[in-house]
Structure formats: structure tokens, C-alpha cells
Amino acid sequence: MRLCSKVSCPGSAAATMTYVHADACVVIGPLSQRAEPGAHDLCADHAAKLTPPVGWQLIRIEGEQAPPERTHDDLLAIADAVREAAGRPGQDEGTGAGESSGASPTETRHDGSMPGRKHGHLRIIGDS
């Protein structure tokens, strides 16, 4: 159980407060799952009574919202997107105008990358 960050407050934490100096913004939302550096846990009373410094914006994110349900179709769409981004062998990737399969291992592509054999998101680059 985490306690309120306010000095001498024995209350249990019910909300987490974070702030961004560059944007002059304070955000109070549901209690984070774990304590984070730069975030302050507040009891319900202190979270409700907190006022931001003059000129700062206060954003309150209310209550526990249930996470969106994932359907089987959503999971398949995510898996397809990952496969497409990884460019898995055996799938129709098409040929880019600036790429050829016979490129030499020391050739640099137009985007600055080096050709090589793909292993998921990694490339094996041969010795030059």
C-alpha cells in the first residue's frame, strides 16, 4: 500500500499527480500501477483539493475506466501489421524502385541503410 506524498498525511494513495514544467500543466489521474520517479501519489482528499500554480493548467482524468476489449479481429489485424512491418519472407513485399535483390553487401541504399539478410527486425551484415 502506497501512502500520500503530502508531508505528515497518513492517508493511502488514491491518485497520481504528474506535471510538465515546459507546458505549465498538472495532471491528476488514477493511481499508477507502481511508483514512478517524478510522479506524486495523493490521497483522495488531497487530490480533490489540489490547485495548480497561477498560470498553470490542471487536467483531471477521472476514475477507473475499463480497458477497451480486444476482439479476435483486432488481434489478427495487429498480427498482420507486425508481419507486414517486419517484411516476413514468403509474403508478397513488392519491389522498391531503389532496391534490387542483387545488391552488393557494401552498397548503401538511398535511405542510408545497408542491404543484408533480414532476421525479424535485425539484419545480418557480412564482413567487408
Side-chain angles (χ1 to χ4, degrees), residues 95-104 107 109 115:
T95 55
E99 296 182 25
S100 66
S101 58
S104 70
E107 181 181 324
R109 294 183 179 152

Side-chain angles (χ1 to χ4, degrees), residues 4-109:
C4 182
S5 297
K6 290 287 192 171
V7 177
S8 72
C9 178
S12 62
T16 298
M17 178 191 76
T18 56
Y19 50 89
V20 181
H21 283 280
D23 296 333
C25 180
V26 177
V27 180
I28 298 176
L31 185 64
S32 62
Q33 291 185 355
R34 62 176 187 261
E36 298 286 342
H40 303 279
D41 296 334
L42 300 173
C43 66
D45 190 43
H46 282 120
K49 293 179 180 177
L50 186 120
T51 57
V54 174
W56 282 52
Q57 179 183 13
L58 175 64
I59 299 172
R60 291 187 188 271
I61 302 173
E62 296 298 327
E64 298 284 326
Q65 295 179 354
E69 287 188 33
R70 300 270 190 235
T71 66
H72 183 68
D73 291 338
D74 291 338
L75 296 176
L76 288 175
I78 292 169
D80 289 342
V82 169
R83 278 190 217 102
E84 182 180 320
R88 298 276 179 182
Q91 296 195 4
D92 184 22
E93 297 177 28
T95 55
E99 296 182 25
S100 66
S101 58
S104 70
T106 57
E107 181 181 324
T108 303
R109 294 183 179 152

